Short mmCIF file of all heavy atoms in Angstrom, two decimals:
data_model
loop_
_atom_site.label_atom_id
_atom_site.label_comp_id
_atom_site.label_asym_id
_atom_site.label_seq_id
_atom_site.Cartn_x
_atom_site.Cartn_y
_atom_site.Cartn_z
N ASP A 1 10.14 3.62 -4.14
CA ASP A 1 10.42 3.35 -2.73
C ASP A 1 9.57 4.23 -1.82
O ASP A 1 9.16 3.81 -0.74
CB ASP A 1 11.91 3.60 -2.40
CG ASP A 1 12.79 2.44 -2.84
OD1 ASP A 1 12.25 1.43 -3.34
OD2 ASP A 1 14.02 2.55 -2.67
N ASP A 2 9.32 5.45 -2.27
CA ASP A 2 8.50 6.38 -1.49
C ASP A 2 7.05 5.88 -1.37
O ASP A 2 6.41 6.07 -0.34
CB ASP A 2 8.51 7.78 -2.12
CG ASP A 2 9.86 8.45 -2.03
OD1 ASP A 2 10.68 8.03 -1.19
OD2 ASP A 2 10.11 9.40 -2.80
N VAL A 3 6.55 5.26 -2.42
CA VAL A 3 5.19 4.70 -2.39
C VAL A 3 5.07 3.72 -1.23
O VAL A 3 4.15 3.79 -0.43
CB VAL A 3 4.85 4.01 -3.73
CG1 VAL A 3 3.60 3.14 -3.60
CG2 VAL A 3 4.67 5.05 -4.84
N TYR A 4 6.06 2.82 -1.12
CA TYR A 4 6.02 1.80 -0.06
C TYR A 4 6.25 2.41 1.32
O TYR A 4 5.67 1.96 2.31
CB TYR A 4 7.02 0.69 -0.36
CG TYR A 4 6.65 -0.11 -1.58
CD1 TYR A 4 7.30 0.08 -2.80
CD2 TYR A 4 5.59 -1.01 -1.54
CE1 TYR A 4 6.93 -0.64 -3.92
CE2 TYR A 4 5.22 -1.74 -2.66
CZ TYR A 4 5.90 -1.55 -3.85
OH TYR A 4 5.51 -2.26 -4.97
N LEU A 5 7.07 3.46 1.38
CA LEU A 5 7.31 4.16 2.65
C LEU A 5 6.02 4.79 3.17
O LEU A 5 5.67 4.65 4.35
CB LEU A 5 8.39 5.23 2.45
CG LEU A 5 8.73 6.08 3.68
CD1 LEU A 5 9.50 5.24 4.71
CD2 LEU A 5 9.57 7.29 3.28
N VAL A 6 5.31 5.48 2.30
CA VAL A 6 4.06 6.15 2.70
C VAL A 6 2.99 5.10 3.04
O VAL A 6 2.25 5.26 4.01
CB VAL A 6 3.56 7.12 1.61
CG1 VAL A 6 2.24 7.76 2.01
CG2 VAL A 6 4.61 8.20 1.35
N ALA A 7 2.93 4.03 2.26
CA ALA A 7 1.96 2.96 2.55
C ALA A 7 2.21 2.39 3.94
O ALA A 7 1.27 2.21 4.72
CB ALA A 7 2.06 1.86 1.49
N LYS A 8 3.48 2.14 4.26
CA LYS A 8 3.83 1.59 5.58
C LYS A 8 3.42 2.57 6.69
O LYS A 8 2.90 2.17 7.74
CB LYS A 8 5.33 1.30 5.63
CG LYS A 8 5.80 0.56 6.87
CD LYS A 8 7.25 0.14 6.70
CE LYS A 8 7.72 -0.73 7.85
NZ LYS A 8 7.84 -0.03 9.12
N TRP A 9 3.67 3.85 6.46
CA TRP A 9 3.29 4.88 7.44
C TRP A 9 1.79 4.82 7.72
O TRP A 9 1.36 4.81 8.87
CB TRP A 9 3.68 6.26 6.91
CG TRP A 9 3.12 7.41 7.69
CD1 TRP A 9 1.96 8.08 7.44
CD2 TRP A 9 3.68 8.03 8.85
NE1 TRP A 9 1.76 9.08 8.36
CE2 TRP A 9 2.80 9.07 9.25
CE3 TRP A 9 4.84 7.81 9.59
CZ2 TRP A 9 3.05 9.88 10.35
CZ3 TRP A 9 5.10 8.62 10.69
CH2 TRP A 9 4.20 9.64 11.06
N LEU A 10 0.99 4.76 6.67
CA LEU A 10 -0.46 4.72 6.85
C LEU A 10 -0.91 3.41 7.52
O LEU A 10 -1.80 3.42 8.37
CB LEU A 10 -1.16 4.87 5.49
CG LEU A 10 -1.06 6.27 4.86
CD1 LEU A 10 -1.58 6.25 3.43
CD2 LEU A 10 -1.81 7.30 5.69
N GLU A 11 -0.28 2.32 7.13
CA GLU A 11 -0.64 1.01 7.71
C GLU A 11 -0.37 0.96 9.22
O GLU A 11 -1.04 0.22 9.94
CB GLU A 11 0.15 -0.11 7.00
CG GLU A 11 -0.34 -0.37 5.58
CD GLU A 11 0.65 -1.18 4.75
OE1 GLU A 11 1.75 -1.52 5.24
OE2 GLU A 11 0.32 -1.47 3.57
N GLU A 12 0.59 1.74 9.67
CA GLU A 12 0.97 1.70 11.09
C GLU A 12 0.23 2.71 11.97
O GLU A 12 0.41 2.73 13.18
CB GLU A 12 2.49 1.94 11.22
CG GLU A 12 3.31 0.78 10.65
CD GLU A 12 4.80 1.07 10.64
OE1 GLU A 12 5.20 2.27 10.85
OE2 GLU A 12 5.58 0.14 10.40
N ARG A 13 -0.62 3.54 11.38
CA ARG A 13 -1.34 4.53 12.17
C ARG A 13 -2.41 3.84 13.02
O ARG A 13 -3.21 3.05 12.51
CB ARG A 13 -2.03 5.57 11.28
CG ARG A 13 -1.13 6.46 10.42
CD ARG A 13 -0.03 7.14 11.16
NE ARG A 13 1.19 6.35 11.07
CZ ARG A 13 2.19 6.41 11.93
NH1 ARG A 13 2.16 7.21 12.95
NH2 ARG A 13 3.25 5.65 11.78
N PRO A 14 -2.44 4.14 14.32
CA PRO A 14 -3.37 3.45 15.21
C PRO A 14 -4.85 3.73 14.94
O PRO A 14 -5.69 2.90 15.29
CB PRO A 14 -2.97 3.95 16.61
CG PRO A 14 -2.18 5.20 16.38
CD PRO A 14 -1.54 5.06 15.04
N ASP A 15 -5.17 4.86 14.30
CA ASP A 15 -6.58 5.18 14.01
C ASP A 15 -7.11 4.43 12.79
O ASP A 15 -8.30 4.48 12.50
CB ASP A 15 -6.76 6.68 13.79
CG ASP A 15 -6.66 7.47 15.09
OD1 ASP A 15 -6.51 6.84 16.16
OD2 ASP A 15 -6.70 8.71 15.03
N PHE A 16 -6.20 3.76 12.05
CA PHE A 16 -6.59 3.05 10.83
C PHE A 16 -6.39 1.55 10.99
O PHE A 16 -5.49 1.11 11.70
CB PHE A 16 -5.75 3.51 9.62
CG PHE A 16 -5.78 4.99 9.36
CD1 PHE A 16 -4.71 5.61 8.71
CD2 PHE A 16 -6.85 5.79 9.74
CE1 PHE A 16 -4.71 6.97 8.45
CE2 PHE A 16 -6.87 7.16 9.49
CZ PHE A 16 -5.79 7.75 8.85
N VAL A 17 -7.21 0.79 10.29
CA VAL A 17 -6.99 -0.65 10.16
C VAL A 17 -6.97 -0.95 8.66
O VAL A 17 -7.79 -0.42 7.91
CB VAL A 17 -8.06 -1.48 10.91
CG1 VAL A 17 -9.46 -1.20 10.38
CG2 VAL A 17 -7.75 -2.97 10.81
N VAL A 18 -5.99 -1.74 8.23
CA VAL A 18 -5.89 -2.08 6.81
C VAL A 18 -6.84 -3.24 6.52
O VAL A 18 -6.70 -4.32 7.08
CB VAL A 18 -4.44 -2.46 6.43
CG1 VAL A 18 -4.37 -2.86 4.95
CG2 VAL A 18 -3.50 -1.32 6.71
N LEU A 19 -7.80 -2.99 5.66
CA LEU A 19 -8.79 -4.01 5.29
C LEU A 19 -8.35 -4.79 4.06
O LEU A 19 -8.71 -5.95 3.89
CB LEU A 19 -10.15 -3.36 5.05
CG LEU A 19 -10.73 -2.56 6.23
CD1 LEU A 19 -12.00 -1.84 5.83
CD2 LEU A 19 -10.99 -3.48 7.42
N GLU A 20 -7.57 -4.12 3.20
CA GLU A 20 -7.14 -4.78 1.97
C GLU A 20 -5.98 -4.01 1.36
O GLU A 20 -5.91 -2.79 1.45
CB GLU A 20 -8.31 -4.80 0.98
CG GLU A 20 -8.06 -5.59 -0.29
CD GLU A 20 -9.26 -5.58 -1.22
OE1 GLU A 20 -10.33 -5.06 -0.85
OE2 GLU A 20 -9.11 -6.09 -2.34
N THR A 21 -5.06 -4.74 0.75
CA THR A 21 -3.98 -4.11 -0.03
C THR A 21 -3.92 -4.79 -1.40
O THR A 21 -4.16 -5.99 -1.51
CB THR A 21 -2.59 -4.23 0.65
OG1 THR A 21 -2.25 -5.60 0.76
CG2 THR A 21 -2.57 -3.58 2.01
N LYS A 22 -3.60 -3.99 -2.41
CA LYS A 22 -3.37 -4.53 -3.75
C LYS A 22 -2.13 -3.84 -4.31
O LYS A 22 -2.12 -2.62 -4.47
CB LYS A 22 -4.58 -4.26 -4.66
CG LYS A 22 -5.79 -5.10 -4.30
CD LYS A 22 -6.94 -4.82 -5.25
CE LYS A 22 -8.16 -5.62 -4.84
NZ LYS A 22 -9.35 -5.26 -5.62
N ASP A 23 -1.10 -4.63 -4.56
CA ASP A 23 0.16 -4.08 -5.05
C ASP A 23 0.25 -4.29 -6.56
O ASP A 23 0.79 -5.28 -7.04
CB ASP A 23 1.33 -4.75 -4.34
CG ASP A 23 2.66 -4.12 -4.71
OD1 ASP A 23 2.70 -3.27 -5.62
OD2 ASP A 23 3.68 -4.49 -4.09
N TYR A 24 -0.29 -3.30 -7.29
CA TYR A 24 -0.23 -3.37 -8.74
C TYR A 24 1.08 -2.80 -9.29
O TYR A 24 1.26 -2.74 -10.50
CB TYR A 24 -1.40 -2.60 -9.37
CG TYR A 24 -2.76 -3.17 -9.06
CD1 TYR A 24 -3.71 -2.42 -8.38
CD2 TYR A 24 -3.10 -4.46 -9.44
CE1 TYR A 24 -4.97 -2.94 -8.10
CE2 TYR A 24 -4.34 -4.99 -9.16
CZ TYR A 24 -5.28 -4.22 -8.49
OH TYR A 24 -6.52 -4.74 -8.20
N ILE A 25 1.99 -2.40 -8.38
CA ILE A 25 3.32 -1.99 -8.84
C ILE A 25 4.18 -3.23 -9.04
O ILE A 25 4.78 -3.43 -10.09
CB ILE A 25 3.97 -0.99 -7.86
CG1 ILE A 25 3.19 0.33 -7.86
CG2 ILE A 25 5.43 -0.73 -8.23
CD1 ILE A 25 3.64 1.35 -6.86
N SER A 26 4.20 -4.09 -8.03
CA SER A 26 4.94 -5.35 -8.16
C SER A 26 4.23 -6.33 -9.10
O SER A 26 4.88 -7.14 -9.76
CB SER A 26 5.10 -6.01 -6.78
OG SER A 26 5.85 -5.18 -5.93
N TYR A 27 2.90 -6.25 -9.12
CA TYR A 27 2.10 -7.16 -9.94
C TYR A 27 1.11 -6.35 -10.78
O TYR A 27 -0.06 -6.22 -10.43
CB TYR A 27 1.35 -8.16 -9.05
CG TYR A 27 2.27 -8.89 -8.10
CD1 TYR A 27 2.44 -8.45 -6.78
CD2 TYR A 27 3.01 -9.99 -8.54
CE1 TYR A 27 3.30 -9.11 -5.92
CE2 TYR A 27 3.88 -10.65 -7.67
CZ TYR A 27 4.01 -10.20 -6.37
OH TYR A 27 4.88 -10.85 -5.52
N PRO A 28 1.59 -5.76 -11.90
CA PRO A 28 0.73 -4.87 -12.70
C PRO A 28 -0.47 -5.61 -13.28
O PRO A 28 -0.43 -6.82 -13.51
CB PRO A 28 1.66 -4.40 -13.83
CG PRO A 28 3.03 -4.76 -13.42
CD PRO A 28 2.93 -5.89 -12.47
N LYS A 29 -1.53 -4.84 -13.54
CA LYS A 29 -2.69 -5.39 -14.24
C LYS A 29 -2.28 -5.69 -15.69
O LYS A 29 -1.27 -5.18 -16.18
CB LYS A 29 -3.84 -4.38 -14.23
CG LYS A 29 -4.53 -4.26 -12.88
CD LYS A 29 -5.78 -3.40 -13.02
CE LYS A 29 -6.55 -3.34 -11.71
NZ LYS A 29 -7.80 -2.58 -11.85
N GLU A 30 -3.10 -6.48 -16.35
CA GLU A 30 -2.78 -6.91 -17.71
C GLU A 30 -2.62 -5.74 -18.67
O GLU A 30 -1.81 -5.78 -19.60
CB GLU A 30 -3.90 -7.84 -18.21
CG GLU A 30 -3.46 -8.74 -19.35
CD GLU A 30 -4.50 -9.78 -19.69
OE1 GLU A 30 -4.91 -10.54 -18.79
OE2 GLU A 30 -4.91 -9.80 -20.86
N ASN A 31 -3.36 -4.65 -18.44
CA ASN A 31 -3.28 -3.49 -19.33
C ASN A 31 -2.08 -2.59 -19.04
O ASN A 31 -1.86 -1.59 -19.70
CB ASN A 31 -4.57 -2.67 -19.25
CG ASN A 31 -4.76 -1.98 -17.90
OD1 ASN A 31 -4.04 -2.26 -16.94
ND2 ASN A 31 -5.72 -1.09 -17.83
N GLY A 32 -1.29 -2.95 -18.01
CA GLY A 32 -0.11 -2.16 -17.67
C GLY A 32 -0.29 -1.25 -16.46
O GLY A 32 0.65 -0.63 -15.99
#
């Protein structure tokens, strides 16, 4: 839950723009 909390915090910072997100926690890569 903390991972998503921190991600949201960074996504909402006005000095940053999110260009891409990849959620390999909800959707792991084939190797785990």
Side-chain angles (χ1 to χ4, degrees):
D1 281 357
D2 292 340
V3 166
Y4 293 104
L5 178 71
V6 178
K8 188 171 186 292
W9 169 267
L10 290 170
E11 288 164 358
E12 292 174 348
R13 297 308 94 203
D15 287 356
F16 305 154
V17 60
V18 178
L19 302 174
E20 187 180 354
T21 62
K22 289 181 182 172
D23 186 352
Y24 296 119
I25 293 175
S26 298
Y27 307 97
K29 286 188 176 184
E30 202 172 304
N31 68 349

